[in-house]
Amino acid sequence: MKVHVKDDFWQLFPDAQISVLVVKGLNNTIDESDDPYFKALLDEGTKKARTFIPDENFTQNEVIQEWRQAFTKFKTKKGARSSIEALLNKACKSRKRI
């Protein structure tokens, strides 16, 4: 496996570090509502994620702002969010479920 990072990325972020995680044999097709074990894991992860969300307006968080500024330098679909912002948004929405 090879990972290619274009030169224009390094021009924008010369001090960036790239990490890759490869996972084999993982079945991510399980519906957590069908399995109490996985539902409990996801619920616990959501609760832990909330500790990083001081309030509903997490987009004003300093760390999120850094990611957002970097993300805006790339061509994306209109309305697309950085991965960190999308994950926190999902955890925030699930707040009402737990």
Side-chain angles (χ1 to χ4, degrees):
M1 174 186 289
K2 292 184 180 181
V3 175
H4 297 275
V5 181
K6 294 185 177 184
D7 289 338
D8 55 349
F9 172 84
W10 295 114
Q11 290 170 3
L12 286 172
F13 306 104
D15 297 325
Q17 295 180 1
I18 305 293
S19 299
V20 177
L21 174 66
V22 177
V23 179
K24 296 181 180 184
L26 177 69
N27 178 1
N28 67 345
T29 61
I30 298 170
D31 183 350
E32 74 273 2
S33 62
D34 293 338
D35 189 316
Y37 172 76
F38 291 108
K39 180 172 180 356
L41 286 176
L42 288 169
D43 289 348
E44 182 63 27
T46 299
K47 287 177 188 174
K48 286 182 180 179
R50 286 190 197 135
T51 63
F52 298 99
I53 308 170
D55 57 44
E56 291 286 333
N57 193 8
F58 64 85
T59 57
Q60 298 305 314
N61 182 295
E62 185 178 319
V63 174
I64 300 298
Q65 285 297 317
E66 286 182 41
W67 279 93
R68 182 180 276 181
Q69 289 172 9
F71 192 69
T72 60
K73 296 180 180 181
F74 297 98
K75 293 180 184 177
T76 60
K77 292 180 182 179
K78 186 176 181 180
R81 295 177 181 222
S82 66
S83 59
I84 185 80
E85 195 169 354
L87 285 169
L88 286 173
N89 187 49
K90 187 172 182 170
C92 196
K93 284 183 180 180
S94 68
R95 176 180 295 185
K96 297 167 182 70
R97 291 188 304 144
I98 299 176

PDB file of all heavy atoms in Angstrom, residues 6-7 18 29 34-35 40 43-44 52 57 59 61 70 73 80 88 90 94-96 98:
ATOM      1  N   LYS A   6       0.006  15.080  -2.413  1.00  0.00           N
ATOM      2  CA  LYS A   6       0.383  15.996  -3.482  1.00  0.00           C
ATOM      3  C   LYS A   6       1.254  17.138  -2.957  1.00  0.00           C
ATOM      4  O   LYS A   6       1.125  17.555  -1.802  1.00  0.00           O
ATOM      5  CB  LYS A   6      -0.864  16.555  -4.164  1.00  0.00           C
ATOM      6  CG  LYS A   6      -1.646  15.491  -4.902  1.00  0.00           C
ATOM      7  CD  LYS A   6      -2.804  16.101  -5.653  1.00  0.00           C
ATOM      8  CE  LYS A   6      -3.528  15.039  -6.453  1.00  0.00           C
ATOM      9  NZ  LYS A   6      -4.595  15.631  -7.254  1.00  0.00           N
ATOM     10  N   ASP A   7       2.108  17.623  -3.825  1.00  0.00           N
ATOM     11  CA  ASP A   7       3.036  18.697  -3.454  1.00  0.00           C
ATOM     12  C   ASP A   7       2.318  19.954  -2.982  1.00  0.00           C
ATOM     13  O   ASP A   7       2.806  20.642  -2.080  1.00  0.00           O
ATOM     14  CB  ASP A   7       3.948  19.044  -4.632  1.00  0.00           C
ATOM     15  CG  ASP A   7       4.969  17.956  -4.911  1.00  0.00           C
ATOM     16  OD1 ASP A   7       5.255  17.164  -3.989  1.00  0.00           O
ATOM     17  OD2 ASP A   7       5.482  17.901  -6.043  1.00  0.00           O
ATOM     18  N   ILE A  18       1.686  13.014   8.541  1.00  0.00           N
ATOM     19  CA  ILE A  18       0.667  12.113   8.014  1.00  0.00           C
ATOM     20  C   ILE A  18       0.779  10.775   8.729  1.00  0.00           C
ATOM     21  O   ILE A  18       1.861  10.205   8.834  1.00  0.00           O
ATOM     22  CB  ILE A  18       0.857  11.893   6.491  1.00  0.00           C
ATOM     23  CG1 ILE A  18       0.893  13.223   5.729  1.00  0.00           C
ATOM     24  CG2 ILE A  18      -0.215  10.958   5.944  1.00  0.00           C
ATOM     25  CD1 ILE A  18      -0.396  13.987   5.717  1.00  0.00           C
ATOM     26  N   THR A  29     -20.398  -3.566   9.548  1.00  0.00           N
ATOM     27  CA  THR A  29     -21.756  -3.580   9.011  1.00  0.00           C
ATOM     28  C   THR A  29     -22.798  -3.900  10.072  1.00  0.00           C
ATOM     29  O   THR A  29     -23.973  -3.976   9.780  1.00  0.00           O
ATOM     30  CB  THR A  29     -21.875  -4.606   7.862  1.00  0.00           C
ATOM     31  OG1 THR A  29     -21.574  -5.910   8.375  1.00  0.00           O
ATOM     32  CG2 THR A  29     -20.928  -4.276   6.725  1.00  0.00           C
ATOM     33  N   ASP A  34     -29.100  -3.556  16.946  1.00  0.00           N
ATOM     34  CA  ASP A  34     -29.343  -4.999  17.018  1.00  0.00           C
ATOM     35  C   ASP A  34     -28.471  -5.692  18.060  1.00  0.00           C
ATOM     36  O   ASP A  34     -28.715  -6.848  18.389  1.00  0.00           O
ATOM     37  CB  ASP A  34     -29.069  -5.662  15.660  1.00  0.00           C
ATOM     38  CG  ASP A  34     -30.063  -5.224  14.593  1.00  0.00           C
ATOM     39  OD1 ASP A  34     -31.162  -4.773  14.956  1.00  0.00           O
ATOM     40  OD2 ASP A  34     -29.719  -5.321  13.398  1.00  0.00           O
ATOM     41  N   ASP A  35     -27.450  -5.020  18.547  1.00  0.00           N
ATOM     42  CA  ASP A  35     -26.508  -5.672  19.457  1.00  0.00           C
ATOM     43  C   ASP A  35     -26.240  -4.765  20.656  1.00  0.00           C
ATOM     44  O   ASP A  35     -25.629  -3.706  20.503  1.00  0.00           O
ATOM     45  CB  ASP A  35     -25.202  -5.964  18.714  1.00  0.00           C
ATOM     46  CG  ASP A  35     -24.262  -6.839  19.520  1.00  0.00           C
ATOM     47  OD1 ASP A  35     -24.109  -6.589  20.737  1.00  0.00           O
ATOM     48  OD2 ASP A  35     -23.666  -7.748  18.930  1.00  0.00           O
ATOM     49  N   ALA A  40     -23.799  -0.147  23.572  1.00  0.00           N
ATOM     50  CA  ALA A  40     -23.179   0.373  24.796  1.00  0.00           C
ATOM     51  C   ALA A  40     -21.834   1.029  24.484  1.00  0.00           C
ATOM     52  O   ALA A  40     -21.516   2.091  25.037  1.00  0.00           O
ATOM     53  CB  ALA A  40     -23.006  -0.746  25.820  1.00  0.00           C
ATOM     54  N   ASP A  43     -22.589   4.367  22.786  1.00  0.00           N
ATOM     55  CA  ASP A  43     -23.126   5.316  23.764  1.00  0.00           C
ATOM     56  C   ASP A  43     -22.013   5.866  24.657  1.00  0.00           C
ATOM     57  O   ASP A  43     -21.960   7.066  24.940  1.00  0.00           O
ATOM     58  CB  ASP A  43     -24.215   4.665  24.619  1.00  0.00           C
ATOM     59  CG  ASP A  43     -25.496   4.409  23.840  1.00  0.00           C
ATOM     60  OD1 ASP A  43     -25.627   4.938  22.709  1.00  0.00           O
ATOM     61  OD2 ASP A  43     -26.354   3.676  24.363  1.00  0.00           O
ATOM     62  N   GLU A  44     -21.099   4.992  25.092  1.00  0.00           N
ATOM     63  CA  GLU A  44     -19.984   5.428  25.939  1.00  0.00           C
ATOM     64  C   GLU A  44     -19.066   6.367  25.167  1.00  0.00           C
ATOM     65  O   GLU A  44     -18.608   7.386  25.694  1.00  0.00           O
ATOM     66  CB  GLU A  44     -19.202   4.218  26.457  1.00  0.00           C
ATOM     67  CG  GLU A  44     -18.059   4.578  27.376  1.00  0.00           C
ATOM     68  CD  GLU A  44     -18.492   5.268  28.649  1.00  0.00           C
ATOM     69  OE1 GLU A  44     -19.633   5.062  29.111  1.00  0.00           O
ATOM     70  OE2 GLU A  44     -17.665   6.016  29.209  1.00  0.00           O
ATOM     71  N   PHE A  52     -15.630  17.042  25.258  1.00  0.00           N
ATOM     72  CA  PHE A  52     -14.874  17.984  24.436  1.00  0.00           C
ATOM     73  C   PHE A  52     -15.778  19.044  23.818  1.00  0.00           C
ATOM     74  O   PHE A  52     -15.310  19.907  23.092  1.00  0.00           O
ATOM     75  CB  PHE A  52     -14.120  17.245  23.329  1.00  0.00           C
ATOM     76  CG  PHE A  52     -13.120  16.273  23.870  1.00  0.00           C
ATOM     77  CD1 PHE A  52     -13.409  14.923  23.959  1.00  0.00           C
ATOM     78  CD2 PHE A  52     -11.884  16.718  24.327  1.00  0.00           C
ATOM     79  CE1 PHE A  52     -12.489  14.022  24.470  1.00  0.00           C
ATOM     80  CE2 PHE A  52     -10.964  15.822  24.849  1.00  0.00           C
ATOM     81  CZ  PHE A  52     -11.263  14.483  24.917  1.00  0.00           C
ATOM     82  N   ASN A  57     -22.637  25.177  20.708  1.00  0.00           N
ATOM     83  CA  ASN A  57     -21.944  25.945  19.669  1.00  0.00           C
ATOM     84  C   ASN A  57     -20.464  25.568  19.636  1.00  0.00           C
ATOM     85  O   ASN A  57     -19.594  26.402  19.808  1.00  0.00           O
ATOM     86  CB  ASN A  57     -22.131  27.443  19.912  1.00  0.00           C
ATOM     87  CG  ASN A  57     -21.709  28.261  18.729  1.00  0.00           C
ATOM     88  OD1 ASN A  57     -21.413  27.739  17.649  1.00  0.00           O
ATOM     89  ND2 ASN A  57     -21.662  29.565  18.922  1.00  0.00           N
ATOM     90  N   THR A  59     -18.640  24.928  17.236  1.00  0.00           N
ATOM     91  CA  THR A  59     -17.909  25.460  16.083  1.00  0.00           C
ATOM     92  C   THR A  59     -17.032  26.649  16.470  1.00  0.00           C
ATOM     93  O   THR A  59     -16.119  26.994  15.733  1.00  0.00           O
ATOM     94  CB  THR A  59     -18.859  25.875  14.948  1.00  0.00           C
ATOM     95  OG1 THR A  59     -19.778  26.839  15.444  1.00  0.00           O
ATOM     96  CG2 THR A  59     -19.630  24.686  14.417  1.00  0.00           C
ATOM     97  N   ASN A  61     -15.164  26.609  19.109  1.00  0.00           N
ATOM     98  CA  ASN A  61     -14.035  26.027  19.825  1.00  0.00           C
ATOM     99  C   ASN A  61     -12.737  26.320  19.066  1.00  0.00           C
ATOM    100  O   ASN A  61     -12.675  26.200  17.846  1.00  0.00           O
ATOM    101  CB  ASN A  61     -14.269  24.515  19.950  1.00  0.00           C
ATOM    102  CG  ASN A  61     -13.189  23.807  20.708  1.00  0.00           C
ATOM    103  OD1 ASN A  61     -12.051  23.766  20.261  1.00  0.00           O
ATOM    104  ND2 ASN A  61     -13.550  23.232  21.837  1.00  0.00           N
ATOM    105  N   ALA A  70      -7.972  25.230   8.092  1.00  0.00           N
ATOM    106  CA  ALA A  70      -7.190  24.362   7.206  1.00  0.00           C
ATOM    107  C   ALA A  70      -8.089  23.745   6.143  1.00  0.00           C
ATOM    108  O   ALA A  70      -7.724  23.683   4.964  1.00  0.00           O
ATOM    109  CB  ALA A  70      -6.501  23.264   8.020  1.00  0.00           C
ATOM    110  N   LYS A  73      -8.978  25.587   2.858  1.00  0.00           N
ATOM    111  CA  LYS A  73      -7.941  25.738   1.836  1.00  0.00           C
ATOM    112  C   LYS A  73      -8.031  24.659   0.756  1.00  0.00           C
ATOM    113  O   LYS A  73      -7.339  24.723  -0.245  1.00  0.00           O
ATOM    114  CB  LYS A  73      -6.562  25.731   2.484  1.00  0.00           C
ATOM    115  CG  LYS A  73      -6.369  26.925   3.400  1.00  0.00           C
ATOM    116  CD  LYS A  73      -5.012  26.927   4.039  1.00  0.00           C
ATOM    117  CE  LYS A  73      -4.899  28.146   4.949  1.00  0.00           C
ATOM    118  NZ  LYS A  73      -3.616  28.228   5.590  1.00  0.00           N
ATOM    119  N   ALA A  80     -19.650  21.247   3.096  1.00  0.00           N
ATOM    120  CA  ALA A  80     -18.910  20.124   3.681  1.00  0.00           C
ATOM    121  C   ALA A  80     -18.184  20.588   4.937  1.00  0.00           C
ATOM    122  O   ALA A  80     -17.723  21.718   5.021  1.00  0.00           O
ATOM    123  CB  ALA A  80     -17.911  19.567   2.667  1.00  0.00           C
ATOM    124  N   LEU A  88     -18.062  15.635  15.747  1.00  0.00           N
ATOM    125  CA  LEU A  88     -18.602  16.299  16.929  1.00  0.00           C
ATOM    126  C   LEU A  88     -20.058  16.693  16.716  1.00  0.00           C
ATOM    127  O   LEU A  88     -20.867  16.621  17.641  1.00  0.00           O
ATOM    128  CB  LEU A  88     -17.756  17.523  17.292  1.00  0.00           C
ATOM    129  CG  LEU A  88     -16.412  17.200  17.927  1.00  0.00           C
ATOM    130  CD1 LEU A  88     -15.581  18.463  18.095  1.00  0.00           C
ATOM    131  CD2 LEU A  88     -16.581  16.497  19.254  1.00  0.00           C
ATOM    132  N   LYS A  90     -22.215  15.038  14.916  1.00  0.00           N
ATOM    133  CA  LYS A  90     -22.981  13.803  15.074  1.00  0.00           C
ATOM    134  C   LYS A  90     -23.138  13.449  16.551  1.00  0.00           C
ATOM    135  O   LYS A  90     -24.219  13.078  16.999  1.00  0.00           O
ATOM    136  CB  LYS A  90     -22.304  12.662  14.323  1.00  0.00           C
ATOM    137  CG  LYS A  90     -23.108  11.409  14.294  1.00  0.00           C
ATOM    138  CD  LYS A  90     -22.495  10.386  13.374  1.00  0.00           C
ATOM    139  CE  LYS A  90     -23.382   9.165  13.337  1.00  0.00           C
ATOM    140  NZ  LYS A  90     -22.993   8.219  12.316  1.00  0.00           N
ATOM    141  N   SER A  94     -26.650  13.306  18.774  1.00  0.00           N
ATOM    142  CA  SER A  94     -27.073  12.100  19.490  1.00  0.00           C
ATOM    143  C   SER A  94     -27.261  12.372  20.977  1.00  0.00           C
ATOM    144  O   SER A  94     -27.755  11.533  21.716  1.00  0.00           O
ATOM    145  CB  SER A  94     -26.073  10.970  19.283  1.00  0.00           C
ATOM    146  OG  SER A  94     -24.850  11.263  19.906  1.00  0.00           O
ATOM    147  N   ARG A  95     -26.893  13.564  21.436  1.00  0.00           N
ATOM    148  CA  ARG A  95     -27.066  13.959  22.834  1.00  0.00           C
ATOM    149  C   ARG A  95     -28.522  13.781  23.273  1.00  0.00           C
ATOM    150  O   ARG A  95     -28.800  13.385  24.385  1.00  0.00           O
ATOM    151  CB  ARG A  95     -26.651  15.415  23.003  1.00  0.00           C
ATOM    152  CG  ARG A  95     -26.862  15.982  24.373  1.00  0.00           C
ATOM    153  CD  ARG A  95     -26.419  17.399  24.435  1.00  0.00           C
ATOM    154  NE  ARG A  95     -24.982  17.406  24.222  1.00  0.00           N
ATOM    155  CZ  ARG A  95     -24.213  18.481  24.303  1.00  0.00           C
ATOM    156  NH1 ARG A  95     -24.756  19.636  24.592  1.00  0.00           N
ATOM    157  NH2 ARG A  95     -22.941  18.425  24.110  1.00  0.00           N
ATOM    158  N   LYS A  96     -29.421  14.043  22.356  1.00  0.00           N
ATOM    159  CA  LYS A  96     -30.828  13.959  22.679  1.00  0.00           C
ATOM    160  C   LYS A  96     -31.294  12.514  22.852  1.00  0.00           C
ATOM    161  O   LYS A  96     -32.275  12.244  23.485  1.00  0.00           O
ATOM    162  CB  LYS A  96     -31.637  14.651  21.580  1.00  0.00           C
ATOM    163  CG  LYS A  96     -31.330  16.134  21.486  1.00  0.00           C
ATOM    164  CD  LYS A  96     -31.895  16.729  20.200  1.00  0.00           C
ATOM    165  CE  LYS A  96     -31.551  18.203  20.081  1.00  0.00           C
ATOM    166  NZ  LYS A  96     -30.174  18.488  19.846  1.00  0.00           N
ATOM    167  N   ILE A  98     -29.382  10.056  24.250  1.00  0.00           N
ATOM    168  CA  ILE A  98     -28.813   9.412  25.441  1.00  0.00           C
ATOM    169  C   ILE A  98     -29.157  10.201  26.683  1.00  0.00           C
ATOM    170  O   ILE A  98     -29.099  11.358  26.729  1.00  0.00           O
ATOM    171  CB  ILE A  98     -27.275   9.274  25.298  1.00  0.00           C
ATOM    172  CG1 ILE A  98     -26.985   8.406  24.106  1.00  0.00           C
ATOM    173  CG2 ILE A  98     -26.655   8.712  26.544  1.00  0.00           C
ATOM    174  CD1 ILE A  98     -25.511   8.278  23.798  1.00  0.00           C
TER     175      ILE A  98
END
